[in-house]
């Protein structure tokens, strides 16, 4: 026998230790990974936070600087008894999850007549309305009496009969709201009737119809007196005064609101009046709407308009009272379960939990109502709809895991190895979070981290297949390799570790490119996923190999030998003949021999059918038709390049989490398009400020990016940076002129949505003219100026001149009241000023309403950029007109997302190019072959170009999610290509022989990697949220493009132009079963050329490796021959 056959394959210290003590390696790996994961979870690593802001943008910095300067104004108001500013961050009061979005916000105008609002205008975004009289000092409210702003449940009805007042439609509406009222979760959070304690609503066509039931003589006899305004209100509704008075006496609302009918309970309402009896009041409501005779006209229009907008669509026909859409508002309220403080923040999570639990029953109610009346289609929404679909989609993760289990089980034929591999994959996710949350100290993660679970399912399985293929192929080698478990493991480890290392490092670094992103969410995604891939690699060279050895020694022939696909599907295998199932030879000696793998040679195996296919007919086809294949790829690459350059552009539509035909989108569109007022925020507003430094406006002060979304608080470490030496005292008229000029330019550019604007100094000067204050406007004395503006804020006195003319007063308090009543805006939020420590007025601002409605999903990026450019033009004109050049900024909340989208569109391609550069560098380091690197780089570009071309063909444009996808495209594209290049590089022979060997060696691993990744993405493709589904589609695009290019285009290119080895083998050797020749240590050789001695990693000395490499090549007859039996793992 040849001496090379007799010399055992060199094994290192790590291989010997792992083979001899696999349970020790398993225990150490398990405890280390489990302990770190526990620390991550215990540290709150899974808490979802929301950043999504480009803090490097000067536009965004100006927004934050302006908000900090405005905070000083709110604190000034607090010092003068006009406002209240929280003194601690929200995260210290209660850690709250950030929400993706909310739908179905309560229309402001539906509540514009609330006396409670007029008496106590809200001081911030968390204002609550109460239907009970409350003591402003004690702020104690009865149970479920304080309406939760933005937390109402809306029922919307689409009536194909266009008759919302027909008996059948009213009964359907009554059935829907009554069914909701019976829900346990709704009862726990509903606004309660102050008389009966039942759930109440003041915005329901059904309740208003029932309220109009004619009075009986007996009921009329109980009427003893009329209120002063009952005649006016009855006349507005076109009903008898007695009907209005008697119903008003029984109101469930303690306050005298016209919009609160007697039948405010959400329960059985009894019989409805006839259409003729309802015609008067509903006609009066209808005519208060847009384009009607008494729109916003007089007292009646002011009272009825909120009701009309709250319940009926804009196209309500006042002559026939026909309308296709109606809606019912079912408000939520607190405190929950008891009377308590009106600011019931501790109950908010409980309220949100009840609203989330209501969604499934609401779908059931929808089905029941639609089944009873085919003319009616029911829609509904509340603030937790996005959370509902998020939770629903995340449950599909279990489907992905189950499918991956099936694939792993089929491939390994062992339940033990299947679950060992699954543990390795899944534990990598919290290990990546450990670095982010514990090492880096981050308080939470971004929502897109859930996508990482699906990424690691594919990557983790790919590494398992590479190792298992190498381990299986070790059995096919000569006895010096296959003769013992120790040598087989060492050979398989050396053969697979570098391939897994190169792909893992490349993917890790590609994700690491996202780590330098200015957007916290993208940075989180990149760092966690990068380390997740790295930890998976560490486990696949420690935990999983130890499990394979443990399985080989103690489980394979002793525990549940029938627990394999071959045994369970034996009948199927017989019917199909030769298939992918690995059959053990019917030789009892084979099993006995393997019981002592360390003592003797491994049982023989036969070649996998896919290996035979890829190394035989498939390789022949690629080699024979390589020129035609290359021509096809040149065409595809060129066409896709032209396509994505011309058509892959930034999106002109706002980002949405759902399809256009999705239930949530349809509901949102009905709310937005069919009803007069949709947004709880009204119109987009722009603010003009002077005093904040336009070039360096903001100091972040160490506040976490995801916590910048919280309410500003008094002792925040953030601060605004001001223009040095600026004092508005020197520009009193200039500020007024600048505000006027800004508004004039807005009108000229078609951006103004109101003939008026908010400018405190104009109100101040008007107020000053009617007082006896010392000095006149503009002031020449600084002390008098400060005294006067303080008095303007503190003034509560009447102004006879304004009262006689019917106008509102111009002091701060009355301007605030007027602002809420007429404009539904917080005056203190739109205009004001602040003083610095030297008593200089270092900041002043005014507010302007645009013609753009505040949409739920925002405006397209292109439209907001147009607004920004126009407002910059207006700013330049205002600075010039007021003599304030270089001191002004203009801000708008919409600019934040505009800057984010623009940054992502730019950084997406830069991150992609960086990841491609990293991949090319890794290929060069591993192969040390410039020619091979260039060829691989061309194919890598082909993959990315094909992906972008598929995005164009799918109708995609660059929006939020697409930008994230493009950022990681390079890193996700390189794995399969690297496997094939690495295998090609370490083989001997000419280019044709090396292509054949690479296909035979790595074809199965790459194919199974594709199958597993696609299987993991199946659940993503079935999700309802576009965030997940489009990501799944993107992964499929990448996997298909990478597989197609790596297995077809790359192989044809290497067959035509690939480098050959210096030592060629004969044609017979090249075409025969391409196993490792005795004396060859390809992984060690490749590692040395890359500057990494894997033999040293494995514990073997360099001397052993050199001695092994110096062995003479064997003849073909000395190599392993095909066997009839195959090992099951």
């Amino acid at each position: 026998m040849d001496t090379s056959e007799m010399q055992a394959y060199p094994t290192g210290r790590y291989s010997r230790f792992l083979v001899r003590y696999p349970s020790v390696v398993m225990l150490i790996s398990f405890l280390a990974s489990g302990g770190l994961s526990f620390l991550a979870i215990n540290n709150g690593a899974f808490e979802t936070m929301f950043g999504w802001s480009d803090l490097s943008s000067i536009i965004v910095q100006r927004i934050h600087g302006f908000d900090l300067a405005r905070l000083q104004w709110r604190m000034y108001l607090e010092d003068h008894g006009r406002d209240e500013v929280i003194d601690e961050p929200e995260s210290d009061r209660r850690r709250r999850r950030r929400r993706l979005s909310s739908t179905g916000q309560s229309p402001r105008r539906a509540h514009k007549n609330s006396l409670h609002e007029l008496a106590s205008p809200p001081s911030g975004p968390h204002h609550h309305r109460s239907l009970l009289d409350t003591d402003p000092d004690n702020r104690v409210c009865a149970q479920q009496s304080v309406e939760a702003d933005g937390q109402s449940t809306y029922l919307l009805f689409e009536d194909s009969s266009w008759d919302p007042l027909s008996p059948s439609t009213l009964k359907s509406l009554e059935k829907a709201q009554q069914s909701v009222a019976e829900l346990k979760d709704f009862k726990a959070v509903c606004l309660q009737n102050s008389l009966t304690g039942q759930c109440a609503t003041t915005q329901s066509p059904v309740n208003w119809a029932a309220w109009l039931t004619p009075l009986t003589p007996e009921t009329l006899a109980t009427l003893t007196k009329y209120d002063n305004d009952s005649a006016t209100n009855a006349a507005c509704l076109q009903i008898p005064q007695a009907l209005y008075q008697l119903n008003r006496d029984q109101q469930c609302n303690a306050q005298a609101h016209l919009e609160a009918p007697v039948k405010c309970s959400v329960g059985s309402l009894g019989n409805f009046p006839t259409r003729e009896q309802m015609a008067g009041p509903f006609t009066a409501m209808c005519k208060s709407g847009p384009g009607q005779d008494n729109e916003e006209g007089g007292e009646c229009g002011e009272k009825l308009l909120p009701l009309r907008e709250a319940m009926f669509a804009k196209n309500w026909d006042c002559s026939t009272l026909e309308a296709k859409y109606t809606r019912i508002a079912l408000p939520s309220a607190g405190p929950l379960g008891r009377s308590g403080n009106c600011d019931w923040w501790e109950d908010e999570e409980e309220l949100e939990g009840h609203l989330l639990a209501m969604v499934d029953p609401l779908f059931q109610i929808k089905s029941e109502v639609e089944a009873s009346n085919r003319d009616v289609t029911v829609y509904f929404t509340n603030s937790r709809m996005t959370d509902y679909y998020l939770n629903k989609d995340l449950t599909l993760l279990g489907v992905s895991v189950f499918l991956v289990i099936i694939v792993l089980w089929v491939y390994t034929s062992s339940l033990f190895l299947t679950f060992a591999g699954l543990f390795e994959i899944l534990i990598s996710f919290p290990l990546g979070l450990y670095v982010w949350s514990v090492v880096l100290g981050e308080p939470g993660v971004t929502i897109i981290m859930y996508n990482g679970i699906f990424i690691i399912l594919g990557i983790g399985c790919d590494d398992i297949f590479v190792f298992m293929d190498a381990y299986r192929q070790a059995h096919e080698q000569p006895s010096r390799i296959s003769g013992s478990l120790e040598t087989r493991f060492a050979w398989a480890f050396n053969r697979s570790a570098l391939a897994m290392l190169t792909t893992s490092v490349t993917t890790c670094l590609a994700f690491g490119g996202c780590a330098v992103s200015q957007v916290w969410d993208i940075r989180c995604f990149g760092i966690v996923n990068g380390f997740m891939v790295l930890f998976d690699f560490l486990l696949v060279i420690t935990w999983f190999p130890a499990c394979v050895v443990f399985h080989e020694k103690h489980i394979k022939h002793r525990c549940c030998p029938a627990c394999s696909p071959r045994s369970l599907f034996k009948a199927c295998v017989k019917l199909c003949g030769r298939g992918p199932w690995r059959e053990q030879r019917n030789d009892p000696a084979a099993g006995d021999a393997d019981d002592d793998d360390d003592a003797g040679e491994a049982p023989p195996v036969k070649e996998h059918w896919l290996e035979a296919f890829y190394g035989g007919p498939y390789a022949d086809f690629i080699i024979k038709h390589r020129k035609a294949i290359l021509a096809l790829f040149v065409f595809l690459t060129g066409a896709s390049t032209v396509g994505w350059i011309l058509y892959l552009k930034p999106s002109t539509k706002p980002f949405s989490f759902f399809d256009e035909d999705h239930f949530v989108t349809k509901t949102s569109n009905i709310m937005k398009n069919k009803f007069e007022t949709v947004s709880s925020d009204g119109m987009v507003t722009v603010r003009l400020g002077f005093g904040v430094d336009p070039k360096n406006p903001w100091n972040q002060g160490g506040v976490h990016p995801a916590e910048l979304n919280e309410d500003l608080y008094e002792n925040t470490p953030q601060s605004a940076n001001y223009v040095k030496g600026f004092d508005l005292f020197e520009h009193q008229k200039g500020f007024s002129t600048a505000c006027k000029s800004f508004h004039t330019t807005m009108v000229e550019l078609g951006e103004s949505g109101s003939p008026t604007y908010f400018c405190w100094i104009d109100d101040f000067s008007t107020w000053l003219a009617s007082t006896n204050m010392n000095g006149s406007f503009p002031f020449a004395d600084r002390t008098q100026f400060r005294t006067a503006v303080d008095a303007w804020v503190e003034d509560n006195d009447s102004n006879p001149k304004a009262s006689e003319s019917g106008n509102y007063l111009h002091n701060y308090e009355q301007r605030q009241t007027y602002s809420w009543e007429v404009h539904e805006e917080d005056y203190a939020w739109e205009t004001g000023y602040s003083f610095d420590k030297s008593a200089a007025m270092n900041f002043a601002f005014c507010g302007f309403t645009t013609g753009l409605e505040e949409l739920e999903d925002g405006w397209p990026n292109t439209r907001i950029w147009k607004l920004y450019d126009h407002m910059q033009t207006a700013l330049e004109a205002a600075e010039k007109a007021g003599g304030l050049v270089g001191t002004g900024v203009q801000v708008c909340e919409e600019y934040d997302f505009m800057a984010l989208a623009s940054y992502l569109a730019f950084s997406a391609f830069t991150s992609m190019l960086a990841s491609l550069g990293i991949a090319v560098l890794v290929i060069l380091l591993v192969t040390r072959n410039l020619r091979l690197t260039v060829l691989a780089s061309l194919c890598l570009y082909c993959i990315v170009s094909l992906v972008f071309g598929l995005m164009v063909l799918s109708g995609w444009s660059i929006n939020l999610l697409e930008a994230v996808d493009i950022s990681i495209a390079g890193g996700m594209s390189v794995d399969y290509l690297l496997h094939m290049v690495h295998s090609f590089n370490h083989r001997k022979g000419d280019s044709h022989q090396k292509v054949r060997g690479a296909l035979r060696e790595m074809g199965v691993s790459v194919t199974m990697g594709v199958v597993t990744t696609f299987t993991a993405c199946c659940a993503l493709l079935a999700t309802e949220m576009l965030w997940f589904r489009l990501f799944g589609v993107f992964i499929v695009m990448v996997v298909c493009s990478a597989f197609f290019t790596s297995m077809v285009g790359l192989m044809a290119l290497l067959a035509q132009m690939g480098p050959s080895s210096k030592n060629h083998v004969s044609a017979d050797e090249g075409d025969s079963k391409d196993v490792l020749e005795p004396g060859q240590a390809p992984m060690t050789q490749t590692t040395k050329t890359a500057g990494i001695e894997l033999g040293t990693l494995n514990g073997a000395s360099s001397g052993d490796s050199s001695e092994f490499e110096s062995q003479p090549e064997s003849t073909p007859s000395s190599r392993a021959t095909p066997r009839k039996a195959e090992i099951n793992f």
Side-chain angles (χ1 to χ4, degrees), residues 4 118 144 146 156 214 270 363 385 432 508 546 595 600 622 661 696 726 833 971 977 1072 1120:
S4 63
L118 298 182
Q144 293 170 230
V146 183
L156 298 97
F363 273 113
M385 292 298 291
C508 177
D595 287 342
I622 295 294
D661 59 348
N696 182 28
F726 179 83
Y833 53 85
L977 182 139
S1072 64

Side-chain angles (χ1 to χ4, degrees), residues 444-521:
V445 294
T446 176
I447 185 66
I448 61 175
M449 280 313 308
Y450 293 111
N451 291 349
I453 300 176
F454 300 94
I455 293 175
I456 198 59
L457 281 173
I459 293 176
C461 287
D462 182 50
D463 287 343
I464 290 175
F465 296 145
V466 170
F467 177 79
M468 291 298 292
D469 264 353
Y471 188 71
R472 183 184 57 78
Q473 290 167 5
H475 292 77
E476 306 173 27
Q477 305 307 306
S479 59
R480 56 187 302 278
I481 295 174
S482 62
S484 71
L485 179 58
E486 194 170 289
T487 56
R488 290 199 303 276
F489 173 79
W491 186 89
F493 184 86
N494 284 339
R495 193 174 184 83
S496 60
L498 183 61
M500 294 186 294
L501 176 63
T502 54
T503 56
S504 297
V505 168
T506 305
T507 306
C508 177
L509 292 178
F511 280 119
C514 298
V516 298
S517 173
Q518 298 296 329
V519 181
W520 175 83
D521 305 75

Side-chain angles (χ1 to χ4, degrees), residues 190 273 375-376 467 490 710 712 956 973 1012 1027:
C190 68
D375 290 333
V376 172
F467 177 79
E710 296 181 351
L712 292 175
W956 290 18
S973 302
T1012 309
W1027 187 268

Side-chain angles (χ1 to χ4, degrees), residues 617-638 938-939 942 946 992 995 999 1041 1043-1057:
Y618 182 78
D620 293 339
F621 175 83
I622 295 294
I623 295 170
K624 181 178 180 181
H625 301 285
R626 59 188 182 278
K627 294 183 178 179
I629 293 173
L630 290 177
L632 173 63
F633 271 86
V634 169
F635 170 77
L636 291 176
T637 304
L938 292 175
C939 290
C942 177
L946 289 177
H992 293 185
V995 164
L999 285 170
S1041 299
F1043 179 78
F1044 178 55
T1045 303
S1046 301
M1047 295 294 288
V1048 182
L1050 175 66
M1051 292 295 98
L1053 185 62
L1054 293 179
Q1056 180 66 26
M1057 306 174 64

Side-chain angles (χ1 to χ4, degrees), residues 147-374:
E147 185 177 344
D149 196 12
Q151 301 285 10
S152 295
T153 297
Y154 284 90
L155 303 179
L156 298 97
F157 302 88
E158 180 181 345
D159 185 6
S160 60
S161 69
W162 286 72
D163 191 0
L165 301 181
S166 68
S168 60
T169 302
L170 288 174
K171 283 296 182 183
S172 295
L173 270 62
E174 180 187 23
K175 179 178 180 179
Q177 73 174 32
Q178 185 176 352
S179 299
V180 174
E182 294 172 355
L183 298 178
K184 178 181 177 181
D185 288 292
F186 181 68
K187 290 180 179 179
V189 300
C190 68
L191 179 68
Q192 288 189 352
N193 183 321
S194 60
L195 297 180
T196 66
Q198 297 176 342
C199 294
T201 180
T202 61
Q203 300 172 17
S204 169
V206 183
N207 290 44
W208 271 93
W211 187 63
L212 299 171
T213 303
L215 301 176
T216 63
E218 292 78 10
T219 306
L220 285 172
T222 64
L223 184 59
T224 58
K225 65 178 181 178
Y226 291 94
D227 293 336
N228 294 332
D229 61 349
S230 62
T232 302
N233 290 335
C236 290
L237 290 170
Q238 300 181 20
I239 60 175
Q241 183 180 3
L243 175 60
Y244 178 84
Q245 182 64 50
L246 283 171
N247 283 337
R248 183 172 185 175
D249 289 343
Q250 305 173 49
Q251 279 192 135
C252 59
N253 188 349
Q255 299 183 28
H257 297 289
L258 175 61
E259 65 262 36
V262 63
K263 297 283 189 179
C264 65
S265 296
V266 187
S268 178
L269 302 175
N271 298 323
F272 296 104
T274 64
R275 189 179 190 84
E276 290 73 18
Q277 293 166 338
M278 292 186 290
F282 282 110
T283 300
M285 284 186 197
C286 184
K287 288 185 177 182
S288 68
Q292 302 301 325
D293 295 338
N294 60 335
E295 176 191 359
E296 298 278 11
E299 189 174 358
C300 288
E302 186 177 326
K303 291 176 179 292
L304 296 177
L305 181 61
L307 302 173
R308 185 246 192 277
E309 292 180 344
M311 297 185 292
F312 294 94
K314 289 184 288 188
N315 60 353
W316 194 13
D317 189 330
C318 297
S319 61
T320 62
L321 294 181
E322 292 182 348
K324 189 173 184 180
Y325 294 95
T326 54
R327 67 178 171 183
I328 298 172
L330 303 174
S332 302
L336 303 183
R338 65 198 179 283
S339 297
N341 195 302
C342 296
D343 293 327
W344 43 279
W345 290 108
E346 65 275 8
D347 292 337
E348 187 173 10
E349 285 188 355
E350 181 183 350
L351 181 145
E352 293 173 351
H354 286 297
L355 292 177
L356 183 61
M358 285 172 55
V359 178
D360 277 324
L362 284 172
F363 273 113
Q364 180 62 34
I365 293 171
K366 166 183 165 65
S367 300
E368 293 174 356
V369 172
E370 292 175 350
S372 63
N373 188 346
R374 296 186 178 181

